């Protein structure tokens, strides 16, 4: 097809021909009114324009691609388009606009993830209710059978005793099964709600709940706590080049590496697609800087895929919004410094900026 020909031309670094071929593809796809083909073709054109040093044309192509997003089924394509737009804006030194688009991207990622979790939660809840009803039906059937046996066996007391004892045992077994099944489903639902199934780290909600508890304890004991936001650099590129299966493998390996790099008292959770929060009790920001750099080096050395991480560190304050803002600013500074680095941004620096 024309789009595949354009990709071949782009691989051969023949940008002008690739651009013309994609323009021809767009004209052809407009006749088919296929939004997926139009969106993907405009995104490839945007990538070409960005590679050719034409950010304005690239952004225009991305905005055109976004205009073809319709309905919930195309939100993943919208997410890809926004990620590419943030990258193009950043490469064009339009950092403020890039940051705003990146915030929109993160919000959309959370929305998509929450929607998936909600669907999974509803599925498990439905399975649990069906299983519960089956057990209830079995119990009811057993009870009816027991009553019938009692009516028919008045003259056979010994036989009645044996049957009753057997049915009681069955009833107890069914009750035990129901209790065990209930506990098993409850534990599974709690794990699904509190832990990220891909990385094994805490979920965003569970991380924030623990942060609030830790904030209350630190106030009571006047304890020092450090907070960090860790982000995998160029993660979208890993998905685009090696595929989402490789991206998931990187996230799993990072989760294992992170769990092995911190103390049991430290908390780490996945709060975004490739974004993680680290809470370090009894730790100064200087010590946190050492710990996060140790993790950064370990990731560079030990992960199979070439992956780097950036991190932003701040101190815990009484304002959760300020905590996240300072850590996010520190992360943004690490990204701006070329990535693969760790930066600090304390709450006292906010007033200096203001």
């Amino acid at each position: 097809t024309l789009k595949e020909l354009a990709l071949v031309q782009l691989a051969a670094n023949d940008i002008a021909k690739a651009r013309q071929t994609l323009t021809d593809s767009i004209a052809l796809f407009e006749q088919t009114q296929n939004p997926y083909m139009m969106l993907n073709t405009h995104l490839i054109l945007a990538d070409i324009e960005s590679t050719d040093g034409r950010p304005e044309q690239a952004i225009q192509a991305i905005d055109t691609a976004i205009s073809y997003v319709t309905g919930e089924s195309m939100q993943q394509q919208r997410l890809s388009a926004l990620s590419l737009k943030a990258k193009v804006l950043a490469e064009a030194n339009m950092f403020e606009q890039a940051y705003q688009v990146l915030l929109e991207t993160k919000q959309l990622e959370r929305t998509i993830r929450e929607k998936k979790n909600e669907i999974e939660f509803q599925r498990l809840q439905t399975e649990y209710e069906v299983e519960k009803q089956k057990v209830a039906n079995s119990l009811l059937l057993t009870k009816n059978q027991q009553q019938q046996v009692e009516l028919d066996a008045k003259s056979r007391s010994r036989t009645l005793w044996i049957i009753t004892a057997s049915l009681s045992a069955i009833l107890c077994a069914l009750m035990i099964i129901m209790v065990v099944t209930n506990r098993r489903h409850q534990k599974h639902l709690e794990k699904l709600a509190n832990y990220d199934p891909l990385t094994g780290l805490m979920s965003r909600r569970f991380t924030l709940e623990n942060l609030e508890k830790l904030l209350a304890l630190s106030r009571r004991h006047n304890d020092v706590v450090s907070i960090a936001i860790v982000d995998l650099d160029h993660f979208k590129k890993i998905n685009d080049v090696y595929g989402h299966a490789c991206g998931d493998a990187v996230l799993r390996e990072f989760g294992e590496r992170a769990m092995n790099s911190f103390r049991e008292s430290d908390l780490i959770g996945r709060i975004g697609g490739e974004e993680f929060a680290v809470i370090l009790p009894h730790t100064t920001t200087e010590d946190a800087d050492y710990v996060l750099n140790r993790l950064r080096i370990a990731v560079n050395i030990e992960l199979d895929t070439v992956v780097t991480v950036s991190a932003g560190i701040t101190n815990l304050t009484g304002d959760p919004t300020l905590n996240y803002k300072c850590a996010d600013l520190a992360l943004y500074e690490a990204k701006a410094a070329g990535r693969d680095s760790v930066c600090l941004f304390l709450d006292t620096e906010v007033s200096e900026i203001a």
Side-chain angles (χ1 to χ4, degrees):
T1 65
L2 289 175
K3 189 173 75 171
E4 293 172 341
L5 176 59
L7 292 175
V8 172
Q9 293 168 339
L10 181 60
N13 204 27
D14 195 343
I15 294 177
K17 287 186 178 180
R19 183 186 292 115
Q20 182 59 48
T21 301
L22 285 174
T23 302
D24 295 339
S25 298
I26 291 171
L28 179 61
F29 292 149
E30 283 180 346
Q31 299 176 11
T32 65
Q33 297 182 343
N34 187 323
Y36 287 92
M37 298 298 293
M38 292 296 293
L39 186 146
N40 291 331
T41 305
H42 276 91
L43 288 182
I44 297 172
L45 180 59
D47 201 21
I48 290 176
E49 298 294 4
S50 176
T51 303
D52 201 27
R54 289 157 51 105
E56 293 183 0
Q57 289 78 1
I59 293 171
Q60 183 179 0
I62 294 171
D63 289 338
T64 301
I66 292 174
S67 69
Y68 286 98
V69 175
T70 56
E72 292 294 328
S73 62
M74 295 186 69
Q75 291 306 305
Q76 193 64 45
Q77 287 79 7
R78 178 183 177 86
L79 181 62
S80 299
L82 288 174
S83 299
L84 179 59
K85 186 175 182 179
K87 173 187 174 184
V88 172
L89 287 169
E91 291 175 350
N93 297 325
M94 301 169 71
F95 296 112
E96 183 176 358
Q97 293 175 301
Y99 181 71
Q100 293 301 321
V101 174
L102 188 59
L103 288 178
E104 183 180 354
T105 302
K106 297 299 181 183
Q107 180 61 40
L108 183 57
E109 283 181 343
R110 286 193 290 269
T111 300
I112 293 173
R113 185 177 61 257
E114 289 171 0
K115 186 65 175 178
K116 290 181 179 178
N117 286 342
E118 180 181 357
I119 293 173
E120 179 65 12
F121 179 86
Q122 292 296 332
R123 184 186 69 80
L124 290 173
Q125 188 176 44
T126 301
E127 289 181 358
Y128 166 69
E129 293 297 335
V130 171
E131 186 67 24
K132 182 179 178 181
Q133 188 60 47
K134 287 181 180 179
V135 173
N137 291 340
S138 298
L139 289 172
L140 182 60
L141 177 61
T142 301
K143 185 176 180 180
N144 291 336
Q145 290 174 345
Q146 183 177 357
Q147 291 176 347
Q148 186 63 43
V149 168
E150 289 174 353
L151 292 174
D152 295 339
K154 289 181 179 180
S155 61
R156 297 174 292 175
S157 59
R158 182 176 178 80
T159 305
L160 175 62
W161 182 87
I162 295 174
I163 294 175
T164 303
S166 300
L167 290 173
S168 297
I170 294 173
L171 182 62
C172 290
L174 288 172
M175 292 180 65
I176 293 172
I177 292 173
M178 186 176 68
V179 172
V180 171
T181 302
N182 183 40
R183 289 181 179 176
R184 187 177 300 166
H185 278 280
Q186 187 65 30
K187 288 182 179 179
H188 187 71
L189 291 174
E190 289 177 358
K191 183 176 180 181
L192 180 65
N194 294 337
Y195 291 90
D196 176 54
L198 181 60
T199 63
L201 304 176
M202 292 189 301
S203 66
R204 176 183 178 85
R205 180 190 60 78
F206 199 44
T207 300
L208 295 179
E209 287 181 359
N210 279 277
L211 178 58
E212 290 179 1
K213 295 177 183 177
L214 191 60
L215 177 59
L217 287 175
S218 66
R219 286 175 178 171
R220 184 183 306 168
H221 301 292
N222 195 24
D223 192 14
V224 59
V225 179
S226 294
I227 302 174
I229 296 179
V230 181
D231 189 85
L232 302 185
D233 299 326
H234 301 299
F235 184 74
K236 180 181 180 299
K237 184 177 179 180
I238 294 175
N239 280 334
D240 291 343
V241 175
Y242 301 102
H244 287 279
C246 179
D248 289 347
V250 169
L251 289 172
R252 280 193 294 270
E253 289 186 29
F254 175 81
E256 294 176 0
R257 183 57 47 208
M259 285 189 286
N260 293 332
S261 298
F262 296 101
R263 303 166 299 183
E264 290 185 0
S265 59
D266 298 332
L267 305 176
I268 178 167
R270 185 183 181 192
I271 60 175
E274 68 273 13
E275 191 172 86
F276 303 85
V278 181
I279 306 169
L280 304 169
H282 319 297
T283 306
T284 64
T285 52
E286 291 78 11
D287 291 337
D289 180 80
Y290 171 79
V291 173
L292 268 297
N293 270 298
R294 185 177 62 191
L295 173 64
R296 179 183 61 82
I297 294 172
V299 170
N300 284 340
I301 295 175
E302 299 180 22
L303 259 66
D304 294 334
T305 308
V306 179
V307 180
T308 61
V309 298
S310 298
I313 302 172
T314 189
N315 55 305
L316 181 67
T317 70
D319 185 353
T321 303
L322 180 61
N323 293 333
Y324 185 85
K325 180 178 180 181
C326 291
D328 197 50
L329 287 171
L331 176 62
Y332 185 78
E333 184 178 1
K335 294 286 188 179
R339 296 179 172 82
D340 192 20
S341 61
V342 178
C343 290
L344 302 177
F345 194 98
L346 305 181
D347 64 313
T348 55
E349 297 179 72
V350 174
S351 59
E352 294 176 4
I353 294 177

